[in-house]
Amino acid sequence: QKEVEQDPGPLSVPEGAIVSLNCTYSNSAFQYFMWYRQYSRKGPELLMYTYSSGNKEDGRFTAQVDKSSKYISLFIRDSQPSDSATYLCAMSDRYGNKLVFGAGTILRVKS
Amino acid sequence: SAVISQKPSRDICQRGTSLTIQCQVDSQVTMMFWYRQQPGQSLTLIATANQGSEATYESGFVIDKFPISRPNLTFSTLTVSNMSPEDSSIYLCSVGADTQYFGPGTRLTVL
């Protein structure tokens, strides 16, 4: 079993839709949770960062962490074609050094 | 966030040769990380490089295959030695503490 599970998709949605991306994990030591966006032939770009449980909102993006269920989510409101990319969840323990990544979900937003 | 550059951006190499990838950061950082992203897969940590000490390698990665240098607080190199087609990947460096920021990556193809 992988430490972090993420559905690779692809997930295809119409422009303006609300997108929900999710990851589950097995290591209860994880305390830092991140979402990265990766465009084709580019390095990952940090989108959201959350420490421990709770919600965090930044513009059209909301990150949720439920440590009791070992489940994290990223919501994208009013999705745009420019949101089409691969979204990677990542997490680390209290020392915050070694990131463990999910497989990444390919998102396609159609205009 | 730090600005990270990598050289080369891409290369095509012959089996049995070696390639050295450079990572330059625009500010001084304590820890630098090297990741591999194989085709269609997520990121896997190769090693952590601290200035003035030996790099720490993850399980499955060895110094003879992936020697790393960290001569100062803004620069690191990763060498991929005695390459085989299985080494064809994107190699990424990153910096940060509890969150990490990534360079654009080096796309390596081994024939």
Side-chain angles (χ1 to χ4, degrees), chain A residues 11-33:
Chain A
L11 177 63
S12 187
V13 301
E15 182 175 357
I18 296 174
V19 175
S20 173
L21 304 167
N22 311 291
C23 289
T24 59
Y25 63 94
S26 57
N27 188 346
S28 58
F30 288 146
Q31 295 202 25
Y32 296 93
F33 303 91

Side-chain angles (χ1 to χ4, degrees), chain B residues 24-35:
Chain B
Q24 179 76 52
V25 189
D26 69 342
S27 58
Q28 293 185 341
V29 294
T30 303
M31 304 182 76
M32 296 179 76
F33 306 88
W34 287 98
Y35 288 82

Side-chain angles (χ1 to χ4, degrees), chain A:
Chain A
Q1 181 189 7
K2 293 181 181 178
E3 276 191 292
V4 179
E5 297 278 359
Q6 183 177 10
D7 186 338
L11 177 63
S12 187
V13 301
E15 182 175 357
I18 296 174
V19 175
S20 173
L21 304 167
N22 311 291
C23 289
T24 59
Y25 63 94
S26 57
N27 188 346
S28 58
F30 288 146
Q31 295 202 25
Y32 296 93
F33 303 91
M34 285 137 277
W35 286 95
Y36 287 85
R37 178 174 63 194
Q38 187 175 24
Y39 291 113
S40 180
R41 300 182 180 274
K42 300 287 187 183
E45 170 195 7
L46 181 65
L47 270 181
M48 299 288 284
Y49 159 69
T50 308
Y51 172 70
S52 196
S53 284
N55 294 358
K56 186 173 184 178
E57 187 173 323
D58 184 1
R60 296 186 295 113
F61 299 90
T62 299
Q64 288 185 351
V65 174
D66 182 349
K67 290 189 69 180
S68 63
S69 302
K70 297 189 178 66
Y71 187 88
I72 70 171
S73 300
L74 177 70
F75 297 96
I76 307 174
R77 291 182 297 280
D78 187 25
S79 57
Q80 303 295 310
S82 58
D83 294 327
S84 297
T86 298
Y87 289 80
L88 299 152
C89 64
M91 44 201 80
S92 64
D93 61 20
R94 62 190 291 263
Y95 300 104
N97 293 335
K98 178 183 175 181
L99 289 185
V100 180
F101 282 83
T105 299
I106 298 171
L107 173 65
R108 296 175 182 150
V109 181
K110 298 177 292 185
S111 58

Side-chain angles (χ1 to χ4, degrees), chain B residues 42-87:
Chain B
S42 193
L43 284 76
T44 302
L45 180 64
I46 297 171
T48 302
N50 290 337
Q51 194 268 337
S53 63
E54 294 279 336
T56 303
Y57 289 82
E58 296 298 308
S59 176
F61 298 96
V62 295
I63 188 171
D64 289 346
K65 176 68 175 177
F66 298 101
I68 289 171
S69 77
R70 183 79 200 276
N72 58 53
L73 290 173
T74 63
F75 187 79
S76 178
T77 67
L78 169 77
T79 298
V80 186
S81 302
N82 188 25
M83 289 184 286
S84 66
E86 292 70 36
D87 294 318

